[in-house]
Amino acid sequence: MARVKKSTHGGNIYRLARELDRDPDDILDFSASINPLGPSPHVWKAIVSSRHLLGHYPDPDCWDLRRALAAFWRIDPVQIVVGNGSTELIDALPRALKIQRLLVVQPTFSEYAAAMGRAEGSTTTLYAHRRNHYAIPIDRIKQVLETGRSDGRSIDGMVLCNPNSPTGQACTVEDLVQLAKVAHRRGLWLIIDESFADYCPDRSILGQVELQAHVIVLRSMTKFYALPGLRVGYAVSASATAGRLQRQLPPWSVSAMGQVAAVAALDDEVHTRRSLQFMTEERERFRMKLAALPGCTVMPTYANYYLVELPRGRTARDITGRLRRRGVLIRDCSSVPGANSRSVRLAVRTRIENDRLIREISPLLLNRGPR
Ligand SMILES: Cc1ncc(COP(=O)(O)O)c(C=O)c1O
């Protein structure tokens, strides 16, 4: 029997719960970076009052959600494509845009390369460097885009994760505009994954400048809006590009509850403000606690997670494994190209949960302890 390839993503509380014979709710998950305040209370109300929709197919045009998103960003609904999470859109983009060779900046989210592989294309890589705290190398990216070639072969475009996962780094809107200009001039696609940009709105290209024809911005309702189980993401682009992308998606891929919940979540400005304020404060408090752990280096972040380098002599794999056995999931980043073997990504969760992580991880860093 063919073996099912294990997911390398964070957030798999189900597998760990099975391994430990526990309830998934008992797993403390720092490996997926979801708003620790949870979804807006409006979401629950909207779901309850839309129960009757379960007896129907969802709206294949996601019309109410696209209209709400268009009003939110002050754009035309024809520029928006909604997918079953931004992952579905990442998967469809190489086929929709006929991208055969894509530039990626590592360390970054693995699905870009995975999607290129599924589309029988390939990626070529630039690296952000540890010595610069993994700052996005804008000048080198521009050079590559200017030539339209990398490693001696032509490229069709690039994907930039902004803010980037797992490093937390983000470039400015001015940087993005410059990249968009070069990409436009060279006829290259520029895909900007803004799945975590709700946490740094002033670094988002959406809503700030008009998008060039070759730019596609991806957004997710998973992280900031805390709807990972409902699977809703969207792409914003020129309408012709949106049409190409839409044609690559299967019908009804976004559930009725996902659409209803996303509309309700977008509408709750109070929860949005509270979530941002909470993250600003707790992220800094957590950073100070992490930085005080012996030998740990905490990278700067614009998102709701930290890339942390464990002390010399420790490995991400070992510490991740030991926390797992205690029902705590963190993201081992040692296999992410460009990250070293001591790199882990930690979500910022509630104050109580963050303190528990500090308590759990501290003894593991001091001595090797019982396995
Ligand atoms: C950078 C980045 N983009 C996109 C996604 C996919 O998010 P979703 O499919 O839940 O919208 C993830 C998920 O971890 C991510 O980290």
Side-chain angles (χ1 to χ4, degrees), residues 52-61 251-257 259:
H52 60 283
L53 293 180
L54 291 180
H56 301 279
Y57 275 96
D59 174 3
D61 301 320
W252 310 295
S253 77
V254 187
S255 71
M257 289 304 130
Q259 296 183 37

Side-chain angles (χ1 to χ4, degrees), residues 264-306:
L266 271 182
D267 191 44
D268 190 349
E269 288 174 20
V270 173
H271 191 67
T272 293
R273 272 200 301 280
R274 199 179 288 145
S275 301
L276 280 175
Q277 169 139 19
F278 174 82
M279 186 51 61
T280 307
E281 289 165 12
E282 184 56 20
R283 183 169 57 191
E284 179 54 17
R285 196 191 72 91
F286 192 35
R287 188 193 64 76
M288 291 198 298
K289 298 233 165 192
L290 290 168
L293 291 172
C296 282
T297 306
V298 186
M299 299 296 158
T301 192
Y302 287 91
N304 57 338
Y305 47 80
Y306 282 108

Side-chain angles (χ1 to χ4, degrees), residues 9 84-88 90 109 112 161 163 165 193 195-196 219-223 228 231-233 345:
H9 295 299
N84 188 267
S86 55
T87 305
E88 184 177 53
I90 292 169
F109 186 44
Y112 313 133
C161 189
S165 174
D193 182 351
S195 289
F196 289 100
R219 284 269 175 161
S220 175
M221 301 297 290
T222 292
K223 291 44 166 91
R231 313 301 306 123
V232 186
R345 194 190 67 189

Side-chain angles (χ1 to χ4, degrees), residues 10-14 25 29 32-35 38-39 43-44 47 54 83-87 220-233 253-262 265:
N12 199 337
I13 54 170
Y14 305 99
D25 272 347
D29 183 13
S33 302
I34 310 298
N35 180 349
V43 165
W44 304 120
I47 287 183
L54 291 180
N84 188 267
S86 55
T87 305
S220 175
M221 301 297 290
T222 292
K223 291 44 166 91
F224 182 72
Y225 293 100
L227 302 174
L230 284 176
R231 313 301 306 123
V232 186
S253 77
V254 187
S255 71
M257 289 304 130
Q259 296 183 37
V260 162

